[in-house]
Amino acid sequence: MTSISLAEYHKQYGGRKTAVKRKKKTQGVKVESIGEITLANQLRLLKISFEQEFKFHPKRKWRADFHLVEKMILVEVEGGIWSNGRHTRGKGYLGDLEKYNAATMLGYQVLRFSTEQVKSGLAVQQIEKMVGDI
């Protein structure tokens, strides 16, 4: 079975173009969400080594929010899940599927958490358990 890119998917099955050009002052700059800031602080407290904005794919520009150093674990904090954000709309969701499947095929385990799960401590508890089990 061959995989197709999101662009090829849209060519074959249609889809509208919704690209919006960002203002120059924010273009190319990733703004950390409250979930990412919180999880980074929680991981530091537990002395779990991580890299943020980790480019995991050799050809694509995909980045994971967190990569646990010396582990094949990527962690994503999904924002906007209740506000019709990028991750829950069709195009964004399809892109996420492609990205996460590619990471899995490269040998990574992918953990996904909502901002609420990070704030409650559930995310870091599960990460701590996974790191301890490996």
Side-chain angles (χ1 to χ4, degrees), residues 12 16 31 35 39 41 50 57 60 64 83 90 103 118 133:
Q12 287 181 353
R16 59 186 185 166
V31 178
L39 185 58
N41 289 333
F50 64 91
H57 197 276
R60 301 290 299 263
S83 62
V118 171
D133 290 346

Side-chain angles (χ1 to χ4, degrees), residues 38-56:
T38 302
L39 185 58
N41 289 333
Q42 292 169 339
L43 293 172
R44 282 187 197 101
L45 283 172
L46 293 173
K47 297 187 179 0
I48 296 174
S49 298
F50 64 91
E51 301 172 68
Q52 285 186 266
E53 290 302 305
F54 177 71
K55 186 176 184 288
F56 67 88

